[in-house]
Amino acid sequence: MTTPESLTFRSDVTVELVKSSASDADVLFAARVSTAGEQSLDELKKDPERSKGLINFLMRDRHGSPFEHNSMTFFISAPIFVFREFMRHRVGWSYNEESGRYRELQPVFYVPGADRKLVQQGRPGKYVFVEGTPAQQEAVGSALRESYEQAYAAYQKLLAEGVAREVARAALPVGLYSSMYATCNARSLMHFLGLRTQHELAKVPSFPQREIEMVGEKMEAEWARLMPLTYAAFNANGRVAP
């Protein structure tokens, strides 16, 4: 049986780009097939920098399909409640998550870090989060750790009694860490970032939960490296997905 001392508590998320086929040239050959046909393949041999104006035009006027001809696969570790929000994004996304039916889930749980704002002020649809007091921070950490210890002990007790993993997992909370592969293209990622991150350049304000925003920020950094011209055009045009 796992003891309370063997539980792991985290406040971070991890995102690893494990596979990609994504470059600014992918946008250009897809766009130029409209007028150049088979000659559009020449874009693969040219410097995309010479056509950044076209990328900006496509982004500005919301010609979105050329941004779909690429792929990025991320391996993400985060609390289950993050994935339940994440999987609301369905168009242009593919997911495979670890399964509590087929493996014993590990005792890794989320406890907010000291920088996580804890107090919600205002009414639904118009509210802000503000810093919690040291007492509130201590209360959150203490209550969550106690809850996690009891939940995981119940889970292990059921497994020890021969209960199937798919039944025993019902004892576990959404603060448990899970892992998944998520595959997307630049267009679907832009839509995700527009909703799940706050940014000073965004035309449309967004109010994401901080934990999913942390995932989005890490994915954004990887995408910016792969497709710098597309990323610049996204920011220059208000971070609205085309």
Side-chain angles (χ1 to χ4, degrees):
M1 297 289 286
T2 299
T3 63
E5 292 75 21
S6 61
L7 271 63
T8 298
F9 302 111
R10 293 175 52 185
S11 61
D12 66 324
V13 300
T14 58
V15 175
E16 179 184 358
L17 180 68
V18 297
K19 182 180 178 182
S20 66
S21 175
S23 71
D24 293 313
D26 299 335
V27 179
L28 297 171
F29 77 72
R32 288 212 160 99
V33 72
S34 299
T35 57
E38 68 279 3
Q39 294 178 3
S40 60
L41 289 171
D42 292 342
E43 292 298 331
L44 293 173
K45 305 171 186 176
K46 298 177 181 177
D47 181 5
E49 184 74 27
R50 58 184 284 278
S51 297
K52 62 182 179 181
L54 174 58
I55 292 176
N56 190 71
F57 161 76
L58 296 170
M59 191 77 69
R60 185 194 68 209
D61 287 13
R62 307 194 71 183
H63 297 289
S65 58
F67 297 100
E68 297 176 4
H69 295 270
N70 54 83
S71 177
M72 293 164 279
T73 298
F74 299 93
F75 183 72
I76 303 168
S77 176
I80 287 174
F81 66 81
V82 170
F83 289 170
R84 296 304 164 263
E85 284 196 347
F86 206 125
M87 291 175 183
R88 294 175 65 87
H89 297 266
R90 297 182 295 277
V91 178
W93 288 90
S94 298
Y95 304 107
N96 280 95
E97 184 182 355
E98 69 175 280
S99 174
R101 295 185 68 190
Y102 304 120
R103 66 168 300 190
E104 181 176 337
L105 298 172
Q106 300 304 299
V108 182
F109 297 94
Y110 176 74
V111 176
D115 59 342
R116 179 37 161 117
K117 295 179 179 179
L118 296 178
V119 180
Q120 179 178 324
Q121 293 181 344
R123 56 182 174 81
K126 192 176 182 180
Y127 58 84
V128 295
F129 281 89
V130 299
E131 302 290 343
T133 65
Q136 288 170 324
Q137 192 77 39
E138 174 60 29
V140 169
S142 176
L144 288 179
R145 288 183 176 87
E146 181 180 355
S147 174
Y148 293 151
E149 290 168 3
Q150 292 177 354
Y152 200 77
Y155 172 65
Q156 288 216 307
K157 181 175 184 294
L158 292 173
L159 292 179
E161 293 179 357
V163 175
R165 287 184 290 264
E166 66 183 53
V167 177
R169 65 178 173 172
L172 296 171
V174 294
L176 181 79
Y177 272 72
S178 186
S179 60
M180 73 172 180
Y181 290 102
T183 298
C184 64
N185 58 57
R187 189 183 192 185
S188 53
L189 180 57
M190 284 186 276
H191 184 262
F192 176 88
L193 295 175
L195 291 172
R196 301 298 184 179
T197 61
Q198 289 186 319
H199 198 282
E200 61 183 4
L201 297 177
K203 287 182 180 178
V204 180
S206 181
F207 305 95
Q209 184 163 341
R210 177 55 189 154
E211 289 76 12
I212 197 170
E213 184 178 36
M214 290 159 60
V215 173
E217 289 169 348
K218 292 179 179 293
M219 296 174 75
E220 181 172 343
E222 295 287 358
W223 171 56
R225 179 179 57 83
L226 293 170
M227 303 179 71
L229 300 180
T230 303
Y231 179 66
F234 175 59
N235 282 320
N237 289 278
R239 294 176 65 88
V240 176

